[in-house]
């Protein structure tokens, strides 16, 4: 069974931002919506070349098979797009809503909902009042002193290590409620059963306090609110400037979020930011991931397939010329159409990222980070998998992982004929069958015309 012959694979979407300050909104998870009338985020993806079986929600909920699982999506964002922070933040937020709803009514009252009226009033206040000047370190100020780049006297300089900090209160002793904030998740996409597997390491309070100060937040956060320590870690990892997994937020979005988080730890404080993150995942990252997954071969194999297609076309043309120049009958000219048709079909399929040989077995090449999983130490491979789903982890750098150097040393022939694995996802096989049928029909039409 195939899709329509007019099917087109999803187009590549360049990263771009949307503005939530203009009232452009849509449904989000956890019921924290900006405008219930806008259903753009829930529209069927088939208009973009993505069937419902491979929809964003289906992948996130664990309803797909390799190579279209949540882990495959995460690996794509880490190794290909280099932008996994949106998905990591989204998964944390989804789990955060679940854990917040499990709190007692008494604890939930400590963190009131951040209403739309408060969000709009805060946005107007940030619009009317210019943002404070960005702080610079004392060392940088000393270097530029006396030059044209010398900062004016009103520039805010970071406090020295020995200086006083209004937010530098001693950390609270961990309680059972704090341990609940990092409870294991029940999501099917987590191998270890935990999305927030993080011990009590170095406190992120100092970096969070710096982010609050940079946003000119006057109100000191209430430490008695539930998950306050976890929110401080989220600020230092995803929100603060130069954070290891800094989200692509505008200065107004960042300031608005920090003002909301200084007031409450309720999930609605992330309303505007989570909409931006979710929109980017649904309408940019998800489409690019499906487009990339349709390709069943690595780049050297696809280039090799294109070369074979061109060689088949050239061979068919040469055969036709030789038959015409020879004394052979007209019927022998049909032989040239065989090479010509195979060449066109191979070239068309390869132009869409598919190798017809691999497709004949419904196989795909293993990704570079999958190739050496068996060779590497089992503990290091498990740690690599956990790090990508550790939503409170460090940055997403992978240059020091063992497979990088090994794959660079791999010769070109071995890359062309790398190890293969069967494609388990039925919807993906159906898409590839459709593309293959389009290539075959296109080659028959062109061969008949020529």
């Amino acid at each position: 069974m195939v899709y329509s012959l007019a099917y087109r694979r999803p187009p590549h979407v360049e990263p771009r931002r949307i503005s939530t300050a203009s009232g452009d909104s849509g449904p989000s998870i956890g019921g924290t919506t900006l405008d219930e009338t806008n259903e753009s985020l829930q529209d069927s993806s088939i208009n973009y070349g993505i069937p419902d079986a491979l929809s964003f929600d289906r992948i996130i909920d664990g309803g797909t098979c390799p190579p279209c699982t949540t882990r495959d999506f995460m690996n794509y964002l880490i190794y290909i797009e280099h932008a996994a922070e949106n998905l990591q933040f989204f998964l944390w937020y989804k789990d955060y809503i679940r854990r917040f709803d499990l709190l007692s009514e008494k604890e939930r009252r400590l963190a009131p909902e951040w209403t739309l009226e408060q969000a709009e009033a805060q946005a107007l206040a940030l619009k009317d009042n210019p943002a404070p000047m960005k702080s610079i370190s004392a060392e940088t100020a000393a270097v530029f002193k006396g030059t044209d780049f010398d900062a004016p006297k009103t520039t805010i300089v970071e406090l020295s290590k020995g200086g006083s900090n209004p937010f530098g209160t001693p950390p609270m002793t961990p309680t059972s409620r704090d341990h609940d904030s990092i409870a294991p998740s029940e999501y099917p996409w987590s191998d270890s059963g935990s999305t927030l597997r993080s011990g009590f390491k170095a406190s992120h309070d100092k970096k969070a306090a710096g982010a609050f100060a940079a946003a000119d937040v006057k109100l000191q956060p209430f430490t008695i609110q539930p998950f306050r320590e976890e929110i401080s870690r989220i600020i230092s990892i995803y929100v603060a400037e130069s954070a290891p997994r800094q989200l692509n937020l505008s200065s107004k979005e960042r300031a608005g979020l920090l003002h909301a988080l200084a007031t409450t730890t309720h999930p609605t404080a992330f309303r505007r930011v989570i909409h931006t993150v979710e929109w980017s995942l649904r309408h940019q990252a998800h489409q690019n991931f499906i487009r990339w997954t349709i390709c069943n071969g690595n780049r050297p194999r696809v280039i090799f397939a294109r070369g074979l297609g061109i060689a088949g076309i050239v061979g068919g043309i040469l055969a036709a010329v030789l038959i015409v120049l020879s004394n052979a009958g007209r019927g022998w000219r049909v032989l040239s159409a065989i090479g010509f048709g195979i060449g066109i079909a191979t070239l068309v399929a390869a132009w869409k990222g598919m190798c017809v040989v691999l497709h004949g077995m419904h196989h795909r090449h293993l990704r570079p980070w999958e190739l050496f999983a068996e060779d590497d130490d089992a503990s290091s491979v498990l740690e690599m998998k956990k790090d990508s789903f550790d939503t409170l982890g460090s940055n997403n750098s992978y240059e020091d992982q063992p497979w990088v150097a090994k794959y660079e040393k791999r010769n070109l022939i071995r890359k062309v004929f790398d190890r293969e694995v069967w494609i388990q996802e039925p919807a993906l096989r159906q898409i590839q069958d459709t593309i293959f049928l389009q290539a075959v029909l296109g080659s028959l039409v062109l061969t008949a015309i020529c």
Side-chain angles (χ1 to χ4, degrees):
M1 182 179 178
V2 297
Y3 293 109
S4 170
L5 292 179
Y7 171 84
R8 296 180 62 184
R9 62 175 180 159
H12 184 268
V13 182
E14 294 296 333
R16 58 193 179 99
R17 285 185 41 79
I18 61 170
S19 174
T20 57
S22 60
D24 192 16
S25 57
S28 182
I29 57 179
T32 57
T33 61
L34 291 177
D35 185 2
E36 297 292 345
T37 62
N38 189 342
E39 299 181 355
S40 60
L41 294 183
Q42 301 295 341
D43 287 345
S44 173
S45 301
I46 196 64
N47 296 329
Y48 302 99
I50 304 175
D52 291 336
L54 296 178
S55 64
F56 176 79
D57 295 316
R58 189 80 174 265
I59 293 175
I60 295 299
D61 293 337
T64 52
C65 300
C68 300
T69 62
T70 309
R71 180 166 298 285
D72 295 310
F73 192 14
M74 181 72 74
N75 288 336
Y76 166 78
L77 293 176
I78 292 177
Y79 301 123
I80 305 300
E81 282 212 353
H82 311 291
E85 59 276 356
N86 281 341
L87 181 58
Q88 290 164 337
F89 180 79
F90 181 83
L91 294 177
W92 168 83
Y93 182 72
K94 189 173 182 180
D95 187 66
Y96 182 69
I97 290 176
R98 179 187 64 83
R99 291 181 285 113
F100 192 91
D101 291 340
L102 294 177
L103 293 175
S104 64
E105 183 65 27
K106 180 180 178 181
E107 288 180 308
R108 285 202 299 267
R109 281 201 296 264
L110 295 175
E113 180 180 354
W114 184 253
T115 63
L116 284 173
E117 290 74 14
Q118 289 176 294
E120 292 172 357
Q122 186 61 56
L124 290 175
L126 292 174
K127 184 177 180 180
D128 296 337
N129 300 325
M133 300 186 67
K134 187 177 180 179
S135 61
I136 60 175
S137 64
E139 293 79 4
T140 305
V143 170
F144 289 120
K145 187 175 182 179
T147 66
D148 294 338
F149 301 99
D150 189 9
K153 294 182 180 180
T154 56
T155 301
I156 303 174
V157 179
E158 290 182 352
L159 295 173
S160 62
K161 292 184 179 180
S164 60
N165 189 337
F167 295 100
T169 55
M172 297 180 62
T173 302
T175 62
S176 59
R177 185 183 65 220
D178 295 325
H179 288 281
D180 292 339
S181 67
I182 55 173
S185 170
E186 299 175 356
Y187 288 140
W189 38 257
S190 178
D191 290 343
S192 62
S194 174
T195 56
L196 299 172
R197 56 164 198 90
S198 174
F200 287 97
K201 303 178 182 178
S203 176
H204 297 270
D205 290 344
K206 184 175 181 181
K207 195 166 186 179
F212 283 124
D216 197 26
V217 176
K218 306 298 185 182
L219 180 64
Q220 183 173 357
F222 300 103
T223 57
I224 195 175
Q225 291 176 332
F227 304 127
R228 173 53 68 182
E229 183 179 351
E230 182 177 351
I231 292 298
S232 296
R233 293 201 295 271
I234 290 298
I235 292 173
S236 65
I237 295 172
Y238 292 98
V239 181
E241 294 189 17
S242 302
R245 297 180 180 179
Q246 183 179 352
L247 298 174
N248 185 21
L249 304 176
S250 66
S251 58
K252 290 184 178 179
E253 286 175 326
R254 182 180 295 106
L257 174 61
L258 290 170
H259 279 82
L261 293 178
T263 304
T264 180
T265 58
H266 195 279
T268 52
F270 295 94
R271 177 185 284 112
R272 292 186 179 275
V273 171
I274 197 61
H275 173 67
T276 301
V277 169
E278 187 177 359
W279 191 97
S280 177
L281 286 172
R282 287 182 180 272
H283 296 286
Q284 187 256 322
H286 176 235
Q287 290 188 56
N288 292 344
F289 168 64
I290 299 300
R291 176 186 174 90
W292 175 78
T293 306
I294 292 174
C295 303
N296 59 4
N298 56 26
R299 182 169 179 78
R301 180 61 171 260
V302 172
I303 294 176
F304 179 73
R306 291 177 183 176
L308 288 180
I310 294 175
I313 295 173
V314 173
I317 294 175
L318 290 178
V321 171
L322 292 177
I323 292 174
V324 170
L325 296 178
S326 67
N327 295 325
R330 287 180 175 270
W332 290 98
R333 299 181 185 180
V334 179
L335 295 177
S336 64
I338 297 176
F340 194 73
I342 294 176
I344 292 178
T346 303
L347 182 61
V348 171
W351 209 262
K352 296 186 178 182
M354 282 180 48
C355 172
V356 293
V357 176
L358 291 176
H359 173 70
M361 300 177 289
H362 278 142
H363 282 190
R364 68 173 178 89
H365 271 161
L366 288 174
R367 311 302 182 190
W369 51 89
E370 298 173 328
L371 274 173
F372 305 99
E374 298 177 359
D375 302 333
D376 294 337
D377 181 57
S379 60
S380 63
V381 174
L382 180 61
E383 189 65 26
M384 180 181 67
K385 290 181 178 180
K386 288 181 179 180
D387 286 345
S388 61
F389 280 92
D390 185 1
T391 54
L392 298 180
S394 58
N395 57 33
N396 294 314
S397 175
Y398 64 89
E399 288 78 7
D400 57 344
Q401 293 181 4
W403 67 265
V404 177
K406 292 181 180 180
Y407 191 75
E408 288 179 353
K409 295 178 182 178
R410 203 174 184 86
N411 62 63
L412 184 60
I413 301 299
R414 292 193 66 185
K415 289 181 179 179
V416 172
F417 299 100
D418 261 336
R419 283 182 288 174
E420 307 165 9
V421 66
W422 185 62
I423 297 174
Q424 301 180 34
E425 176 55 48
L428 182 61
R429 297 199 303 267
Q430 193 172 348
I431 290 177
Q432 293 175 341
D433 289 341
T434 304
I435 294 176
F436 176 74
L437 182 59
Q438 289 174 338
V440 172
L441 293 178
S443 67
L444 290 177
V445 172
L446 292 177
T447 302
I449 294 176
C450 298

